[in-house]
């Protein structure tokens, strides 16, 4: 049985990594997905759509988009740090796909790996803007549509960075710790509307984000960077984005119907390695 039959999902950061894996899995499970990303080229490569929606283009009209209404995935180019982009994406999902039941605020960046004394504050603010403001904007503009459907599920992509303070990650760790607060507040505010809110907290995921970190940790020798990183987990490996997407599916679907206000670690025990180092 399809676990997301007749559901509509909005997934941000959907052109790569975890967001791409989640979009593919959710579509296979029967959902229609508005796949939002900043990177137009990556969206086109991932989904090869006939029509690409853009935040700056005119809003979808009733006479347009019949093919998209049937399509499992509707790619949408937008920047989660721009509130008008996010509002337009949600309106498009509601109009074209008939409503919104599931939201995955997943778009995020690591920023530059730097100790606090070397961290440029504009870089710090850039990371917080994408990782926190972008998530709040996504939730803010999805909520009225979720309420219209009588409930739903929000699964925020956080990180093991929400529970440890790894050297060199002040902006990223601050942003992911902040997402725990966003999740708790949203879970409390939205429970009366039947909307569940949780975070998924991956450790090291085999995506372009972690490959960039390998280079930062061992310039010119990414294999060594990879070994250093994998040694920081109990299970000594990266998690695949498809494994993270399965946990998101559990929380988004009826399987997670009693789950709200919680963090779900999928870090191969990394939090214990980092705490006891
Ligand atoms: P990724 O770089 O493969 O994908 C991130 C996607 O987000 C990209 O397609 C990018 O274009 C998009 N994006 C970035 N800024 C955006 C913006 N302002 N508006 C819209 N889209 C934007 O990375 P990933 O590893 O799949 O990361 C996804 C999420 O998982 C992030 O929130 C990240 O913090 C989190 N995470 C990743 C890891 C890891 O090891 N890779 C670990 C823990 C948590």
């Amino acid at each position: 049985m399809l676990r997301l039959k007749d559901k509509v999902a909005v997934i941000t950061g959907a052109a790569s990594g975890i967001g791409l894996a989640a979009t593919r899995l959710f579509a296979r499970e029967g959902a229609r997905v508005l796949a939002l990303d900043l990177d137009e080229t990556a969206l086109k490569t991932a989904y090869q759509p006939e029509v690409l929606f853009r935040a700056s283009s005119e809003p979808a009209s009733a006479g347009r988009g019949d093919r998209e209404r049937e399509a499992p995935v509707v790619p949408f180019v937008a920047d989660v740090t721009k509130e008008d982009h996010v509002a337009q994406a949600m309106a498009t999902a509601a109009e074209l796909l008939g409503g919104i039941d599931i939201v995955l605020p997943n778009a995020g960046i690591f920023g530059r790996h730097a100790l606090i004394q070397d961290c440029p504050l504009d870089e710090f603010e850039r990371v917080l803007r994408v990782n926190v403001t972008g998530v709040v904007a996504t939730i803010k503009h999805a909520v009225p549509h979720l309420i219209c459907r009588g409930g739903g599920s929000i699964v925020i992509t956080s990180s093991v960075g929400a529970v440890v303070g790894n050297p060199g990650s002040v902006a990223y760790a601050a942003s992911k710790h902040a997402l725990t607060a966003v999740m708790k507040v949203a879970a409390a505010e939205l429970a009366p509307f039947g909307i569940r809110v949780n975070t998924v907290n991956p450790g090291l995921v085999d995506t372009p984000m972690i490959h960039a970190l390998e280079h930062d940790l061992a310039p010119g020798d990414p294999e060594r960077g990879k070994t250093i990183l994998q040694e920081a987990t109990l299970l000594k490996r990266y998690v695949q984005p498809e494994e993270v997407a399965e946990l998101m599916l559990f929380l988004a679907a009826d399987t997670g119907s009693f789950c709200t206000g919680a963090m779900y670690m999928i870090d191969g025990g990394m939090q214990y390695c980092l705490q006891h180092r």
Side-chain angles (χ1 to χ4, degrees), residues 5-243:
K5 191 170 167 348
D6 299 329
K7 300 289 186 194
V8 175
V10 173
I11 300 180
T12 73
S16 175
I18 298 170
L20 177 59
T23 301
R24 287 182 171 152
L25 177 63
F26 281 30
R28 273 204 310 281
E29 289 293 337
R32 282 157 304 148
V33 183
L34 185 133
L36 184 156
D37 205 287
L38 190 59
D39 187 336
E40 175 169 343
T41 308
L43 273 179
K44 281 185 182 156
T45 306
Y47 301 109
Q48 310 197 330
E50 287 184 28
V51 179
L52 192 74
F53 286 82
R54 264 185 206 84
S56 52
S57 61
E58 63 191 51
S61 66
R64 203 178 106 191
D66 286 344
R67 260 205 307 271
E68 288 67 38
R69 234 178 277 279
E70 307 301 322
V73 178
V74 174
F76 194 100
V77 183
D79 182 343
V80 294
T81 68
K82 300 202 165 112
E83 189 169 0
D84 58 327
H85 283 200
V86 177
Q88 206 178 330
M90 297 302 169
T92 301
E95 188 177 347
L96 265 185
L97 306 177
I100 303 174
D101 306 285
I102 297 161
V103 183
L104 268 52
N106 165 78
I109 56 175
F110 186 82
R112 207 178 310 161
H113 190 264
L115 299 177
I116 292 176
Q117 68 266 33
D118 302 323
C119 178
L121 290 187
D122 56 351
E123 173 71 353
F124 182 84
E125 286 173 356
R126 184 177 77 92
V127 172
L128 263 73
R129 187 148 183 81
V130 177
N131 292 6
V132 185
T133 311
V135 168
V136 172
T138 302
I139 295 172
K140 173 180 173 178
H141 289 282
V143 161
H145 300 290
L146 293 169
I147 290 174
C148 275
R149 299 280 266 199
S153 175
I154 299 172
V155 183
I156 301 168
T157 309
S158 183
S159 167
V160 68
V163 296
V164 294
N166 204 24
S169 70
V170 66
Y172 189 74
S175 73
K176 296 300 185 179
H177 274 71
L179 287 184
T180 306
V182 172
M183 174 272 287
K184 288 178 180 175
V185 171
E189 288 184 2
L190 299 175
F193 301 101
I195 300 169
R196 299 180 291 103
V197 189
N198 296 286
T199 63
V200 159
N201 297 58
L204 303 169
V205 193
D206 196 359
T207 72
M209 179 184 284
I210 214 68
H211 302 151
L213 191 58
E214 290 166 358
H215 284 273
D216 278 359
L217 286 176
D221 190 358
E223 272 307 312
R224 199 170 78 79
K226 185 174 178 176
T227 306
I228 295 169
L229 287 169
Q230 293 189 338
E231 281 301 312
T233 69
L234 292 182
L235 298 181
K236 307 297 179 206
R237 70 167 176 91
Y238 292 159
V239 64
Q240 292 303 309
E242 290 75 17
E243 298 176 86

